[in-house]
Amino acid sequence: MDRTPIKKALDADRIGQTVTVAGWVRTARHSKGGFSFLSLNDGSCFALLQIVADRTLANYEREILHLSAGCSIVATGELVASEGKGQAVEMQAKEIRVLGEVDAETYPVQAKRHTFEFLRTQAHLRTRTNTFGAVARVRNRICAAIHEFFQRRGFLYIHTPIITSSDCEGAGEQFGVSTLDPAAPPRDENGQVDFSQDFFGRRTYLTVSGQLAVEPYCCSLGDVYTFGPTFRAENSNTPRHLAEFWMVEPELAFADLNDDADLAEEFLKYVFSTVLNDGEEDLNFFNEHIDKTILETLRHIHESEFVRLTYTEAMDVLETAERDWDYPPKWGADLQTEHERYLTEETFQKPVIVTDYPASIKPFYMYVNEPDERGRRTVRAMDVLVPKIGEIIGGSQREHRLEVLESRMDECGLNKDDYWWYLDLRRHGSIPHAGFGLGLERCVQFCTGMANIRDVIPYPRTPRNAEF
Ligand code: 4AD
Ligand code: MG
């Protein structure tokens, strides 16, 4: 079909042209004098095209008069200057073809306001609402910006596997992948499930991170990144956790933690400013209806220099803060979201990069620092914290010294034989390298102000929820 996207039809230069548009009716008003005003959306932009139809159309009484929200139509007509407020252009219809009617009684996403909780039960039709259309467009722009940023800097895009046999983060939060009969799996002599008879001849999982698999590419080809879905079976019912989420993971060759932090800062600024520049219409909507500080926050971040401090310095700030914590801060314990948000929202009021966390709370692969003057051991980890979200990026310099890595693996109770190929990178031509992971959905939340992560991914996967 030779159709003009509404985004283009609304361009004032087109006034006088006859075009065909197609989409879904958002609102229909039928007036007594034989006129109908239809507002149409086709997803190409936030705005609606107003279509004026009158009874001179052959199917006016039979079809057009019965149109309501949700109907799909194809309309051909002249684009004319609009007298109505809010839009410069409207269409004077010459022909309207009705493709799909709706049952107005049962159509779940009428033009009235619905709660996001309700719309989650209608994930297949919430895409027809202002909010979810705007989220989808912003998410798309962010993904394109991510690739632009890395491609322009010469990073290679590497596709790492989704099925894996290693646990990158070592947190044991993996979903198993198996074709064994769960009711009657084969058993070994000790009565344990015998995964050597499973599809891959070993125990396998959905990946929690592409990092381990991308490192060999970094240690051969230089700067690389992977970008794909990752899975975590953590039972956290929070507005910031999903069981399936997308992660971008660059890996920098011949680099240390400072290089990593510089990259993370430039990267976030690029993504945020691209969304600001290109997503104006959608962002204006979020700023008006979802979070009145979104535009200001995005602009502010672009202009500010991220604060960098160590975990130990962050602990000093937190321990002297006058605050009733749910979890009182204590050296050695992980930062809670309340601590992260305090640092970025109250103490510094801008993004904060916390580095050098205690070794005991971080995965095996992070570079081990010399013990501090009190003998405490930290690793070259970094978390980037932003207002309202807390941790948006987690990363580190990698341990590239074979003996240190081996002893960390022993400490963490890992079987070194399972990671022989990862250790090989440290045996043959080892180099300092570093990388990080950005949670795509947390980034979309940050750019849109959407409070719940379930509303920035098309079909959220959370505990007890995988309907669509
Ligand atoms: O801090 P994480 O666990 O780091 C890694 O996985 C490293 N292997 C990354 C690397 O160095 N290549 O996760 C990275 C980011 C977090 O900062 C957060 O934004 C996001 O992934 N994330 C989640 N997003 C949604 N739901 C979850 N359950 C998430 N867990 C982590
Ligand atoms: Mg983390």
Side-chain angles (χ1 to χ4, degrees), residues 168-169 208-209 211 232 234 240-242 245 247 249 365 391-395 398 435-439 442 453:
C168 176
E169 296 306 294
V208 297
S209 157
Q211 178 199 323
R232 296 197 185 176
E234 50 187 333
R240 281 176 304 276
H241 287 89
L242 290 165
F245 62 99
M247 187 157 45
E249 297 180 272
Y365 55 71
E391 177 190 342
I392 195 167
I393 280 180
R398 316 309 186 189
F436 64 78
L438 167 79
R442 293 198 187 167
I453 199 165

Side-chain angles (χ1 to χ4, degrees), residues 20 43 56 59 118 219 252 304 339 352 407 426 456:
T20 297
T56 59
N59 58 346
F118 169 75
C219 296
L252 271 175
S304 52
H339 306 140
V352 175
S407 70
R426 280 74 183 165
V456 298

Side-chain angles (χ1 to χ4, degrees), residues 179-243:
T179 55
L180 296 179
D181 177 359
R187 306 231 171 228
D188 61 19
E189 58 270 28
N190 302 320
Q192 302 293 322
V193 175
D194 181 7
F195 286 102
S196 71
Q197 295 187 45
D198 203 347
F199 189 92
F200 296 106
R202 62 193 305 154
R203 196 133 170 61
T204 51
Y205 310 90
L206 296 179
T207 186
V208 297
S209 157
Q211 178 199 323
L212 299 189
V214 93
E215 280 189 45
Y217 280 80
C218 174
C219 296
S220 314
L221 301 170
D223 300 341
V224 293
Y225 68 109
T226 176
F227 184 10
T230 48
F231 306 85
R232 296 197 185 176
E234 50 187 333
N235 199 357
S236 6
N237 262 303
T238 82
R240 281 176 304 276
H241 287 89
L242 290 165

Side-chain angles (χ1 to χ4, degrees), residues 5-195:
I6 288 177
K7 184 185 169 95
K8 293 200 173 137
L10 285 170
D11 194 340
D13 296 353
R14 301 234 173 190
I15 287 176
Q17 291 185 8
T18 294
V19 300
T20 297
V21 294
W24 294 266
V25 172
R26 197 54 82 66
T27 59
R29 259 186 317 121
H30 304 289
S31 79
K32 292 226 173 63
F35 281 99
S36 292
F37 300 93
L38 310 170
S39 62
L40 199 70
N41 186 271
D42 67 358
S44 62
C45 61
F46 187 87
L48 307 171
L49 175 67
Q50 168 149 288
I51 300 175
V52 186
D54 64 32
R55 62 173 152 220
T56 59
L57 299 181
N59 58 346
Y60 186 75
E61 315 244 305
R62 183 166 44 85
E63 287 188 310
I64 295 173
L65 257 184
H66 307 291
L67 289 176
S68 61
C71 295
S72 47
I73 63 169
V74 182
T76 303
E78 189 183 344
L79 297 173
V80 297
S82 170
E83 268 150 41
K85 57 174 167 17
Q87 76 260 346
V89 177
E90 63 185 28
M91 175 185 275
Q92 194 66 53
K94 292 190 178 125
E95 189 198 338
I96 294 181
R97 211 149 41 87
V98 178
L99 297 180
E101 296 174 348
V102 300
D103 178 350
E105 296 271 292
T106 58
Y107 186 55
V109 292
Q110 308 282 353
K112 72 169 177 143
R113 279 216 167 209
H114 296 287
T115 63
F116 291 141
E117 286 79 8
F118 169 75
L119 289 172
R120 270 171 231 146
T121 70
Q122 306 294 325
H124 61 308
L125 287 172
R126 67 176 181 173
T127 41
R128 302 247 182 110
T129 64
N130 276 336
T131 306
F132 290 91
V135 167
R137 282 184 298 271
V138 170
R139 187 180 165 112
N140 170 69
R141 192 65 194 91
I142 290 174
C143 292
I146 286 167
H147 284 295
E148 278 157 25
F149 179 84
F150 290 120
Q151 291 293 328
R152 284 183 194 160
R153 284 161 188 253
F155 283 62
L156 293 186
Y157 179 26
I158 306 297
H159 297 99
T160 50
I162 287 178
I163 299 174
T164 167
S165 56
S166 48
D167 180 1
C168 176
E169 296 306 294
E173 290 168 339
Q174 294 172 293
F175 289 100
V177 175
S178 172
T179 55
L180 296 179
D181 177 359
R187 306 231 171 228
D188 61 19
E189 58 270 28
N190 302 320
Q192 302 293 322
V193 175
D194 181 7
F195 286 102

Side-chain angles (χ1 to χ4, degrees), residues 309-319 329 335 343 348 354:
L309 78 172
T310 64
Y311 168 92
T312 303
E313 289 163 345
M315 273 298 151
D316 290 342
V317 172
L318 295 169
E319 279 170 352
L335 294 184
L343 291 170
F348 299 109
V354 180

